[in-house]
Amino acid sequence: MSKYILPLSVFGTVVGGAVLLKSHMTGGRCPSQATINGKTVIITGANTGIGKETARELARRGGRIIMGCRDMAKCEAAAKEIRGKTLNHQVYARHLDLASMKSIREFAEKVKKEEEHVDVLINNAGVMRCPAWKTEDGFEMQFGVNHLGHFLLTNLLLDKLKESAPSRVINLASLIHLIGQIDFDDLNWEKKKFDTKQAYCQSKLANVLFTRELAKRLQGTGVTVNAVHPGVVATELGRHTGLHQSQFSSTLLSPFFSMMVKSPELGAQPSIYLAVSEEMEGVTGRYYDVLMEKEPAPQALDEETALRLWEVSSRLVGLENEGQFAKSNPAAETQTKAAHTDLQETQRQNPAPAVSAVGL
């Protein structure tokens, strides 16, 4: 029997080490057990992947869930499944195509007419590494959906969010924003050769810049906004990346990917944490890598770029003459500069708490 002890010990150590490594690589679960009874949550792209798991968990916690999706058949099926599993009947499927300004405006109008309040907006939907497609309005698909679509939607719902304060906006970004650049001379890739990876990186950097600029503009309103990288998650988002299309890459890389990639359920935990945790009350303008606050890329901290992106985005989606934040006047500029200073001082004096979750 003794001859088996050493091999079994080695095997146990390897297995245990692999489990701990995977837990560390993929992050833990939301440590907060807070419920959200009576709160209304809007989640874009909620019929599959991270969005669906976020909707399911927030429904389990008592929220009124509005799932905004392009494919209504899949959205209705997902909403029905969530209602059945959580016994929460306040889970609704609504049509929202983020590649269409018209659809976004129609969705926002419906929300403003039908919902008494909006407590949480989770801008989850996205496209990744797709071909050189254009949105209905002629924007490069990744920039149009990942940034401009959510930029317009959030702005259209700002009044409702402020009326519902304290309320939260959560933007799903990506670690890939670290190598992103905003090309103001060619945002839609019409002058240079299209690079699907760089287009995606640009859109994810835009998510972080938008988050920081919006947080400054919302100072004092009771509405917070934060960006989060959910980790590497096994979802349909990566269907255009071409990974594992050969037998060689599947065989060689699968063990490494299985160690780093997590399930949609685990991928939803950062969004859930930002949406419900008591520790996030009043925290705004931050970037989270899974459940930990991190410093974003240097280019994401450039205030001039963030402001310019806001102004350009407002013009592209037709918000120049709509809403107090889209207008340009001396009083608004003075107020925004003061808010910038206030936010920086608040962040210096009150750093976000570090969160320790099981497996992180």
Side-chain angles (χ1 to χ4, degrees):
M1 182 66 184
S2 60
K3 67 179 180 179
Y4 296 111
I5 293 178
L6 181 59
L8 287 173
S9 297
V10 172
F11 178 75
T13 300
V14 171
V15 172
V19 171
L20 290 174
L21 179 60
K22 183 176 178 65
S23 180
H24 172 74
M25 293 294 290
T26 59
R29 292 182 175 275
C30 171
S32 173
Q33 298 301 312
T35 57
I36 53 170
N37 297 313
K39 292 190 176 182
T40 299
V41 181
I42 296 175
I43 308 171
T44 67
N47 64 287
T48 187
I50 294 174
K52 181 180 177 182
E53 291 301 322
T54 302
R56 183 190 61 77
E57 178 59 21
L58 295 182
R60 188 187 70 79
R61 293 177 185 243
R64 175 182 171 85
I65 311 299
I66 300 174
M67 303 166 64
C69 310
R70 180 178 58 84
D71 189 324
M72 281 305 292
K74 290 182 178 179
C75 194
E76 292 282 7
K80 182 179 179 181
E81 178 186 330
I82 292 170
R83 288 193 293 266
K85 288 185 175 180
T86 64
L87 301 182
N88 180 344
H89 298 291
Q90 295 193 85
V91 180
Y92 306 97
R94 296 286 184 267
H95 182 258
L96 171 63
D97 183 355
L98 287 161
S100 165
M101 298 293 115
K102 179 175 181 290
S103 175
I104 295 168
R105 289 179 178 277
E106 289 174 348
F107 175 86
E109 280 304 310
K110 190 175 182 66
V111 168
K112 289 188 283 188
K113 288 180 181 178
E114 297 182 355
E115 301 301 324
E116 294 183 8
H117 47 89
V118 173
D119 302 279
V120 182
L121 169 61
I122 303 179
N123 291 320
N124 166 84
V127 289
M128 176 183 179
R129 302 288 300 274
C130 63
W133 295 340
K134 298 290 186 181
T135 69
E136 179 180 289
D137 304 279
F139 305 121
E140 188 275 317
M141 185 64 71
Q142 295 174 93
F143 185 72
V145 170
N146 299 347
H147 170 60
L148 290 178
H150 285 126
F151 176 88
L152 176 60
L153 176 64
T154 304
N155 271 281
L156 293 176
L157 294 179
L158 278 183
D159 286 342
K160 184 66 70 173
L161 285 160
K162 287 187 284 185
E163 291 169 6
S164 310
S167 52
R168 305 180 185 187
V169 177
I170 299 157
N171 294 325
L172 267 74
S174 171
L175 185 65
I176 203 72
H177 86 277
L178 291 168
I179 58 173
Q181 297 292 333
I182 304 296
D183 184 355
F184 287 107
D185 292 326
D186 193 16
L187 289 170
N188 289 303
W189 295 81
E190 295 167 334
K191 302 175 183 177
K192 56 184 178 292
K193 183 179 179 181
F194 182 69
D195 184 322
T196 183
K197 177 182 176 181
Q198 285 303 316
Y200 180 68
C201 295
Q202 174 180 251
S203 73
K204 293 290 101 178
L205 173 58
N207 291 155
V208 184
L209 289 165
F210 168 49
T211 297
R212 291 179 58 79
E213 181 65 22
L214 180 59
K216 293 168 184 175
R217 291 167 180 261
L218 289 175
Q219 280 289 296
T221 65
V223 183
T224 61
V225 52
N226 294 287
V228 61
H229 164 57
V232 183
V233 186
T235 70
E236 294 180 7
L237 183 65
R239 59 185 174 273
H240 298 297
T241 61
L243 291 174
H244 301 326
Q245 289 188 350
S246 72
Q247 185 63 40
F248 174 77
S249 64
S250 296
T251 302
L252 185 64
L253 298 178
S254 285
F256 297 100
F257 273 90
S258 65
M259 192 63 66
M260 294 187 296
V261 176
K262 53 187 173 182
S263 66
E265 181 186 2
L266 279 178
Q269 299 305 307
S271 298
I272 295 165
Y273 171 71
L274 294 185
V276 306
S277 68
E278 300 89 340
E279 293 90 344
M280 289 301 301
E281 188 67 41
V283 177
T284 192
R286 311 294 176 87
Y287 168 76
Y288 286 79
D289 186 339
V290 190
L291 297 178
M292 299 293 290
E293 186 196 348
K294 294 287 182 67
E295 179 101 332
Q299 61 269 33
L301 299 173
D302 189 319
E303 294 188 1
E304 290 185 5
T305 299
L307 180 58
R308 185 179 178 187
L309 179 64
W310 181 283
E311 293 171 344
V312 170
S313 300
S314 295
R315 184 174 70 253
L316 291 175
V317 301
L319 280 177
E320 274 188 314
N321 299 312
E322 299 177 35
Q324 69 182 82
F325 293 127
K327 292 179 180 179
S328 177
N329 58 65
E333 289 177 2
T334 300
Q335 183 178 13
T336 298
K337 289 178 180 178
H340 284 201
T341 303
D342 291 344
L343 178 63
Q344 290 175 335
E345 182 65 18
T346 299
Q347 292 180 341
R348 185 183 66 81
Q349 295 180 359
N350 302 294
V355 180
S356 296
V358 177
L360 186 61

